Amino acid sequence: MQRLAEKINIEIMENELSAMDWSLNPLARDLYWFVDLFQAAFFRGTPVPIPALTFEKARVNTLGHYRIGRNDWAVREQINLNRIHLTRPLWNILASLFHEMVHSWEHTYVPENKRTKSWYHSKAFRVKMEEYGIFCADNGAHIGLDPKGKFVLLLQQHGVSFE
């Protein structure tokens, strides 16, 4: 599968994966592996660009966010997973990662007129999440997982515990 990404995103990923003295290296390694898995399993026909993963602290009620457009370093396709919530179970962090990847999918493929005014958690977004077994409220909060949904089954197939 062709990797869709700007050169800087690949370089950021390679830097994170080679920074053996960085405390978040093992988590970053796992998350980039799951980015590739989610691409193959869930975005095969409509691939999303490879994100630059960041782990900056954010508001306590924010688990993660997808940055629309370019950040202060001119990087596009940034997904931040809030550093203060990285002690959650892996399945929960992966649900946030997938959530942000669906934002990227929406921004890439859903026509602007099909998005809400702020587009952030449009009907198209919520339908895509539900297609894979993650149920979202209008504000985007996860309100449930289908235990037989594609997301849960894929993670279970790859040894991720939901306990």
Side-chain angles (χ1 to χ4, degrees):
M1 172 186 307
Q2 180 184 7
R3 300 184 118 213
L4 301 175
E6 292 188 344
K7 182 179 177 187
I8 187 66
N9 294 53
I10 299 300
E11 290 176 3
I12 290 169
M13 177 182 64
E14 289 173 351
N15 185 65
E16 289 176 339
L17 297 179
S18 68
M20 300 309 286
D21 61 341
W22 181 44
S23 65
L24 295 176
N25 173 275
L27 177 62
R29 184 170 302 283
D30 288 346
L31 294 179
Y32 279 114
W33 188 87
F34 277 101
V35 164
D36 285 344
L37 180 64
F38 293 162
Q39 284 279 26
F42 302 139
F43 301 106
R44 186 172 309 168
T46 53
V48 297
I50 302 299
L53 297 180
T54 57
F55 304 95
E56 300 165 1
K57 287 183 181 177
R59 292 182 317 211
V60 71
N61 63 338
T62 301
L63 299 177
H65 68 268
Y66 167 73
R67 175 122 185 176
I68 303 167
R70 296 193 182 275
N71 69 12
D72 292 341
W73 294 68
V75 174
R76 187 171 50 202
E77 297 301 325
Q78 175 190 356
I79 291 177
N80 185 65
L81 296 168
N82 191 348
R83 183 179 289 258
I84 63 177
H85 293 298
L86 295 180
T87 57
R88 295 179 292 148
L90 180 60
W91 74 263
N92 201 300
I93 294 171
L94 292 171
S96 294
L97 175 64
F98 179 70
H99 177 119
E100 303 312 332
M101 289 178 73
V102 173
H103 280 303
S104 178
W105 167 84
E106 180 181 30
H107 187 67
T108 304
Y109 296 102
V110 174
E112 198 167 340
N113 66 348
K114 298 288 185 187
R115 302 176 194 156
T116 58
K117 186 174 183 182
S118 67
W119 83 265
Y120 210 59
H121 295 99
S122 68
K123 181 159 179 73
F125 173 89
R126 294 189 314 273
V127 166
K128 185 74 164 176
M129 293 291 287
E130 189 172 331
E131 177 183 341
Y132 296 105
I134 301 174
F135 305 104
C136 296
D138 289 352
N139 69 356
H142 298 179
I143 55 175
L145 287 174
D146 179 351
K148 296 189 185 304
K150 295 175 186 175
F151 179 79
V152 169
L153 294 176
L154 182 74
L155 294 191
Q156 288 174 333
Q157 289 171 354
H158 289 87
V160 176
S161 172
F162 282 82
E163 294 180 16

